[in-house]
Amino acid sequence: QDASAAAAAAAKAAAMAKPNVVVLATGGTIAGAGASAANSATYTAAKVPVDKLLAGLPELANVANVKGEQVFQIASESFANDNLLTLAKRVSQLAKQADVDGIVITHGTDTLAETAYFLSLTVHTDKPIAVVGSMRPGTALSADGALNLLSAVSVAASKDAKGKGVLITMNDQIQSARDTNKDVNIETRAFQSQWGSLGMVVEGKNYWFRAPVKRHTTQSEFNIDDITSLPSVEIVYSYGNVQPTAVQALAAAGAKAIIHAGTGNGSVANRMVEPLRQVQAQGVTIVRSSRVPYGFVLRNAEQPDDKYDWVVAHDMRPEKARILTMLALAKGANTKELQRMFWEY
Ligand SMILES: NC(=O)C[C@H](N)C(=O)O
């Protein structure tokens, strides 16, 4: 009797000593299933419920006390603004709980970086938040989801990941939500940042090499607890022979800002300048970004931004410029404030 009571007490003490991590599941390939083990790219995303994902990974129990919550079960290309708001509000609530040490979000990889950036801008906490997905479904040979998830939980459970903002943990890398993007669409080294990874997670230990210098989480002026809706901010892609039809249609449909995904250094075709200025005169904010993945857009280089009162997106991809612009406009920011935000976040 005494021996089993002592064993139970020891087990309880061991569980209490371990960090508590909540896994918020949203779907994606990490919850995907294919017809055969040879299907690494042909499968259905968002199939496997979070309880099953966690049960299939008993190694998690050595790292943390893990609880799962199914927030959505969708492929991430179908994420909408409502999903961002619901998810960020839940993350914020959990982060305030004394019995939560870290949070993991499982997510499809297609828009994972957008969600991660949104969370890094809106959730006020220094607790680790790790966003994770996979490139192959769990049914495939060399599936990457299980190790990615174990690494995400281990990063979220670690004290040394505190205060580093929202992290993307894929392929053994620990990356910053801000400037990491899905740059390869079929290999497990999918996520890259032109400024490099923050570190690596190997066998449950973090190895850090850098820290983010841009404002995030506790230093952010945006707070999900105060946000109830997001304005329509849309993207227009540029290419040879581009026509103003899309810009005009989006403005007519009520867009509050247009992110112009320009060529090169955010350059704008002659025939697009006047249409952009016309919709701007109707109240649409114009942000110049680039369709080129690396480098950054310089103010007043390709276009006279000061003269036109246009904003440049710095090194933000068009889809991430959209996230920051939505949050800025939701707060009533003008173009000067929005430009400052692009330098600071
Ligand atoms: N690898 C993936 O997760 C891709 C999938 N289409 C998604 O984003 O949900």
Side-chain angles (χ1 to χ4, degrees):
Q1 270 304 41
D2 275 3
S4 70
K12 196 172 167 211
M16 281 173 67
K18 268 190 225 127
N20 299 318
V21 172
V22 180
V23 175
L24 297 178
T26 72
T29 298
I30 194 164
S36 90
N39 286 125
S40 61
T42 310
Y43 56 86
T44 312
K47 281 296 235 196
V48 184
V50 65
D51 290 344
K52 211 172 154 197
L53 277 186
L54 299 180
L57 202 48
E59 293 79 2
L60 290 173
N62 303 328
V63 177
N65 303 311
V66 180
K67 261 200 267 180
E69 241 179 76
Q70 193 78 49
V71 188
F72 319 116
Q73 185 64 295
I74 55 175
S76 75
E77 59 269 29
S78 299
F79 247 71
N81 288 350
D82 280 355
N83 299 110
L84 289 178
L85 294 175
T86 303
L87 178 64
K89 283 183 190 291
R90 185 64 189 133
V91 174
S92 171
Q93 268 174 356
L94 287 169
K96 289 189 186 111
Q97 283 180 212
D99 61 351
V100 174
D101 298 300
I103 299 160
V104 168
I105 295 113
T106 61
H107 199 293
T109 55
D110 289 351
T111 64
L112 184 153
E114 290 160 65
T115 299
Y117 187 45
F118 185 81
L119 295 174
S120 86
L121 292 172
T122 59
V123 178
H124 282 240
T125 186
D126 66 354
K127 293 181 185 176
I129 299 173
V131 191
V132 64
S134 79
M135 292 302 288
R136 299 175 180 147
T139 46
L141 293 170
S142 294
D144 53 334
L147 181 56
N148 285 350
L149 180 54
L150 182 62
S151 296
V153 169
S154 125
V155 167
S158 50
K159 289 200 171 65
D160 60 16
K162 266 188 147 190
K164 296 196 168 69
V166 174
L167 303 166
I168 297 176
T169 52
M170 299 269 305
N171 205 30
D172 303 344
Q173 306 289 319
I174 309 174
Q175 296 174 301
S176 174
R178 178 190 179 274
D179 44 54
T180 301
N181 297 292
K182 186 174 185 178
D183 274 3
V184 185
N185 63 12
I186 201 155
E187 294 172 61
T188 51
R189 56 174 188 101
F191 283 80
Q192 305 290 333
S193 162
Q194 68 169 329
W195 310 125
S197 291
L198 302 182
M200 289 192 72
V201 48
V202 181
E203 295 186 358
K205 188 171 159 35
N206 304 331
Y207 298 85
W208 298 100
F209 298 97
R210 306 176 207 284
V213 297
K214 299 285 190 177
R215 291 172 73 177
H216 59 74
T217 56
T218 54
Q219 304 305 312
S220 175
E221 67 201 84
F222 311 106
N223 190 332
I224 192 60
D225 300 348
D226 310 328
I227 303 170
T228 49
S229 68
L230 294 166
S232 161
V233 174
E234 311 300 332
I235 299 171
V236 167
Y237 199 88
S238 193
Y239 46 90
N241 201 48
V242 63
Q243 301 297 319
T245 325
V247 164
Q248 287 155 348
L250 288 171
K256 298 288 177 266
I258 288 177
I259 313 293
H260 182 268
T263 37
N265 201 263
S267 54
V268 180
N270 287 340
R271 73 187 86 84
M272 293 296 289
V273 171
E274 272 321 299
L276 284 168
R277 296 190 72 195
Q278 272 161 17
V279 300
Q280 182 184 15
Q282 297 156 22
V284 180
T285 298
I286 305 298
V287 177
R288 267 198 321 119
S289 68
S290 177
R291 67 179 200 176
V292 177
Y294 300 113
F296 54 88
V297 177
L298 286 172
R299 208 175 152 80
N300 296 316
E302 285 283 359
Q303 289 289 332
D305 298 300
D306 287 348
K307 181 172 158 207
Y308 293 167
D309 195 23
W310 287 355
V311 176
V312 297
H314 198 23
D315 63 333
M316 282 296 148
R317 302 276 174 94
E319 66 275 16
K320 277 180 155 168
R322 173 182 170 270
I323 298 282
L324 182 58
T325 303
M326 286 196 299
L327 289 168
L329 296 190
K331 250 185 157 261
N334 63 25
T335 47
K336 279 211 169 46
E337 289 162 329
L338 179 57
Q339 186 62 75
R340 181 213 13 109
M341 289 165 183
F342 271 107
W343 302 139
E344 292 182 2
Y345 289 89

